[in-house]
Amino acid sequence: MPRQKINGSGGERRRRTENVQPKRNVPEVVYTQPKHFQRKKLLLQLLTMFAVVLAVSMGVSIFFKVDTVLVTGAEKYSVETIRDKSDIQEGESLLFLRRPSVAGKILDALPYVKNVRIGISLPGTVNIIIEEVPLVYSVEAADGSLWLMTSEGRITEQADDAAADQYPTVAGFRLASPAAGQQAVAAEPAQGGETPAHPEVITAADKLKISLMVLQQLEMNEVLGEVTRVDVTNLQDLQIWYGDRYQVKLGNEQRLDYKIAAAKQAVAQMGQRQTGVLDASFTTFPDKIHYQPFE
């Protein structure tokens, strides 16, 4: 009987091979048991760090102490006055010197000081850098007394007639109970009957606010010493005077920076013998300054 070849086993192996999926290159996940929290070790590290900080602090407090206080920039006040108002004590630790507090004490006590910077130079020097107000202005109080005020509205001191004449005058309102070192408050004029509660009513406080805006723009445009009078009696017709030569009309408070800068340029172009009114309100003559000589 002839033999028959059985090929079933070979075909079955091929089918098995085809059904086997190739292995993917996936990293194995290895689980590691978490370490036990070492509380003692952490505590030791914290204590070591604290000891280092404490040692540095003690070293600074022992070796770096105030032995010299230098004052620069002060003209209105003496160096001794600045040192006294700073309340910095000789031998005081530089580590615990609170510079904002020192600056605040000087600003509160000395009205002519505009800004204070405190610096430290090791091993023991404190530098106090003073910036004083560039100019003050004369303002009348409700009781008729004269006071000096900065462009930020801070009262510096009372002045007699002779002293007040040395500074530009601010007119159009009066001060209520001024005191050196305090912020200016405008005195509202007494009125008979009830005051109408309308938002368009102009108050003395409005005039004070606008006057400070004018003064600040004059300082920014470096017109210090040239303008002798600022008049805010009518807030729609603000005026400044360049000595007795020019009366400058600014209109209202809109575009004050532009108006004052333009007026300064116009004055610089005028002849030495010219005097008159400069209309810089830009209402009647838009973007043009009109000049009219005094009659």
Side-chain angles (χ1 to χ4, degrees):
M1 187 174 182
R3 296 181 179 178
Q4 296 181 356
K5 294 182 180 180
I6 300 175
N7 298 327
S9 58
E12 185 176 353
R13 283 195 300 270
R14 283 194 300 272
R15 285 194 298 271
R16 291 175 182 175
T17 304
E18 292 175 357
N19 292 333
V20 174
Q21 297 295 329
K23 293 184 179 181
R24 297 179 180 178
N25 188 19
V26 179
E28 296 182 0
V29 178
V30 179
Y31 178 76
T32 303
Q33 185 73 16
K35 295 183 180 180
H36 180 69
F37 179 69
Q38 299 180 357
R39 180 175 300 177
K40 293 183 178 180
K41 184 177 181 181
L42 177 61
L43 181 60
L44 181 59
Q45 292 176 343
L46 292 176
L47 289 175
T48 303
M49 185 180 301
F50 176 75
V52 172
V53 173
L54 181 61
V56 173
S57 301
M58 291 295 292
V60 172
S61 62
I62 293 174
F63 296 106
F64 300 113
K65 294 184 177 182
V66 177
D67 57 26
T68 304
V69 178
L70 297 179
V71 179
T72 57
E75 296 182 2
K76 188 69 177 179
Y77 302 106
S78 66
V79 172
E80 290 73 17
T81 300
I82 300 293
R83 289 173 178 169
D84 179 65
K85 299 304 180 182
S86 70
D87 200 26
I88 299 176
Q89 304 298 324
E90 185 177 351
E92 181 178 351
S93 173
L94 288 176
L95 177 66
F96 300 105
L97 182 66
R98 300 178 59 186
R99 285 183 275 185
S101 176
V102 172
K105 291 177 181 178
I106 296 174
L107 288 171
D108 291 341
L110 306 175
Y112 281 97
V113 176
K114 181 179 181 180
N115 189 33
V116 182
R117 289 183 294 162
I118 308 296
I120 293 177
S121 300
L122 297 178
T125 301
V126 178
N127 298 295
I128 301 179
I129 305 171
I130 299 294
E131 179 186 357
E132 296 180 342
V133 294
L135 187 64
V136 291
Y137 307 86
S138 172
V139 188
E140 185 178 358
D143 61 2
S145 60
L146 298 175
W147 293 79
L148 302 181
M149 178 185 72
T150 71
S151 61
E152 282 78 28
R154 191 181 188 191
I155 304 298
T156 57
E157 63 178 313
Q158 188 175 359
D160 56 24
D161 292 344
D165 287 342
Q166 301 177 16
Y167 302 99
T169 301
V170 180
F173 65 92
R174 292 185 174 187
L175 299 174
S177 304
Q182 301 299 314
Q183 197 69 14
V185 177
E188 298 296 340
Q191 299 184 11
E194 296 183 356
T195 302
H198 297 295
E200 64 271 14
V201 173
I202 303 300
T203 66
D206 296 327
K207 294 182 178 181
L208 170 59
K209 178 182 177 181
I210 299 301
S211 71
L212 297 181
M213 293 172 56
V214 176
L215 297 179
Q216 291 168 15
Q217 288 300 325
L218 290 175
E219 292 182 359
M220 291 180 63
N221 282 277
E222 298 182 349
V223 198
L224 306 179
E226 298 184 49
V227 172
T228 57
R229 182 180 176 88
V230 174
D231 194 334
V232 295
T233 302
N234 184 349
L235 294 188
Q236 298 303 313
D237 185 23
L238 303 173
Q239 299 181 15
I240 59 177
W241 284 79
Y242 276 72
D244 57 359
R245 291 187 60 195
Y246 300 107
Q247 177 188 9
V248 181
K249 296 192 173 189
L250 301 174
N252 59 25
E253 77 277 10
Q254 301 298 322
R255 303 171 69 192
L256 272 178
D257 53 345
Y258 177 60
K259 294 175 182 177
I260 291 176
K264 178 183 177 182
Q265 293 181 355
V267 170
Q269 296 172 7
M270 302 295 289
Q272 293 294 328
R273 297 184 179 181
Q274 288 180 299
T275 62
V277 178
L278 295 174
D279 187 349
S281 63
F282 301 131
T283 53
T284 307
F285 305 95
D287 293 325
K288 292 182 180 180
I289 294 181
H290 179 258
Y291 167 66
Q292 181 179 355
F294 288 137
E295 296 180 357

